[in-house]
Each structure stands twice: as C-alpha cells, then as structure tokens.
Amino acid sequence: MSTSHLPRDKKDRSVRARKHDLYKSKGKLPEPSVCRECKAVYHKGRWTWVPAPAQSHTLVCPACERMRDNAPSGVLLLTGEFVASHRDQVLGLAHNEEARVKAEHPLARIIKIEDQAEEPVGVIITTTDPHLARRIGEALHHAHRGTFTCRYEETEDLLRANWQS
Ligand SMILES: [Zn+2]
C-alpha cells in the first residue's frame, strides 16, 4: 500500500512504526519458536521461559537482537549524591528489578550499565524494553525517594527516564 498521499507527519510516524516493528516481531513469528541465544520460547502469541516444545523453530529473539545491536528502547539516567556514594547498592537494586521483570517478561533486559562522566554526572542504564527502564527508576524512587521522571520520545522511539537521588 502506498502512503505517499498522507500528510508528512503521518507518513513519518508510519516509517518509525515500521522501524520499531523490526525488533517487535518482524511480522508473524513461527510457533513455537526458541531463541538460540537466551532460550526464550515464543508460544501461543507470547514469550515465556518454559522449556522449548519439541519441533520448535530456532531464531534470535528481539531482546537478543537489541543487545547485539546495542539498540535500547529504554534509557535510565541515575544522578545525584546517593548514586555516587551508594553505587553498588543502587545497581544491585537495578539488577534485582531486572530479574523480577524478566522472569515474567523475557524480552525485558538490561543492555548496559555505563558511567556518564560529563554533566549530569551519573550512571546510565539502557534496556531492551521501555517498561524495564521505568520499573527500575520507580523501584529506586520507592526505596530511596529522590525524583523520578520519564517521558516517551516518539521521534526516537525511546523511553527516557531519570532518577535523581
Ligand atoms: Zn533471545
């Protein structure tokens, strides 16, 4: 179907949506399928950690593709005095939250944890799934107060979150 008749903004949105779909599913996945990297199983329309059924197709899941391509869909920036002085505790909580979310949502993973040297100085956590970046920020906010904000950048197809301790 041609989209050339659409107004410019609508056309751009559909292009971005298609780009997003590259990681989302590439259209219909065969079922059942198992990821050859992480062993997540796609069955009955959802990703799970159940053992792969016999005769499963083999593929690479969208989360492993995002890890490989370093293509986050969530970015969480942690800043402030508490992050600097309690780095291990803060990152421990982030890993715990990842484990909790990933157990139910196999495609939600931390891609990288990196220090940001330039202002605002802090730690950046990138994730394969926008909800995971938000969940980690919310968990830190719940445990240690501070300020939590997040916004979805439609133009970048990215959730940007910030927790300031
Ligand atoms: Zn995988």
Side-chain angles (χ1 to χ4, degrees), residues 67-99:
M67 308 269 296
R68 183 190 63 200
D69 298 346
N70 190 23
S73 68
V75 177
L76 174 63
L77 172 64
L78 311 175
T79 57
E81 193 54 43
F82 187 83
V83 175
S85 59
H86 294 76
R87 195 176 190 279
D88 290 351
Q89 186 183 338
V90 166
L91 296 187
L93 191 151
H95 282 298
N96 287 345
E97 195 62 23
E98 181 202 22

Side-chain angles (χ1 to χ4, degrees), residues 34-40 47 49 59-65 106-107 109:
V34 59
C35 174
R36 71 173 73 97
E37 305 285 332
C38 68
K39 308 300 175 203
W47 289 91
W49 291 116
L59 45 72
V60 177
C61 77
C64 287
E65 286 187 336
L107 301 192
R109 326 254 173 91

